[in-house]
Amino acid sequence: MAKAKGKVTFREDRCKGCELCTTVCPVNIVVMNREKINIKGYYPATVSDMDKCIGCANCATICPDTVIEVERVIEK
């Protein structure tokens, strides 16, 4: 059976730290990077474990600033 995987990229400089993306991730891997502050002065969103990403794109859909891009790959 094919397994869906995802690759998430963030435009961290555009993130305003609203944390909406962290609330919709079904595998709880989207988190705020508390060790970095972006050019706007916010903690940007990031992924804690990319291998667990299922490529659902919920995070990208809910993001009001189009900061997140998700590529979906089907592994056989």
Side-chain angles (χ1 to χ4, degrees):
M1 182 173 176
K3 184 176 180 182
K5 297 287 285 179
K7 180 181 178 218
V8 184
T9 53
F10 295 87
R11 288 194 243 170
E12 292 183 351
D13 57 319
R14 296 182 61 186
C15 182
K16 64 182 180 190
C18 69
E19 299 189 34
L20 287 173
C21 54
T22 65
T23 66
V24 296
C25 180
V27 290
N28 298 315
I29 58 169
V30 180
V31 296
M32 304 312 288
N33 184 351
R34 302 286 182 203
E35 297 177 8
K36 183 177 184 180
I37 294 179
N38 68 10
I39 196 165
K40 291 185 172 186
Y42 300 109
Y43 294 117
T46 191
V47 171
S48 62
D49 188 352
M50 194 68 72
D51 290 334
K52 291 183 180 177
C53 181
I54 59 173
C56 68
N58 288 350
C59 55
T61 302
I62 202 166
C63 181
D65 298 310
T66 60
V67 170
I68 307 167
E69 186 176 306
V70 178
E71 294 177 50
R72 193 161 195 210
V73 180
I74 305 294
E75 293 183 344
K76 296 180 181 182

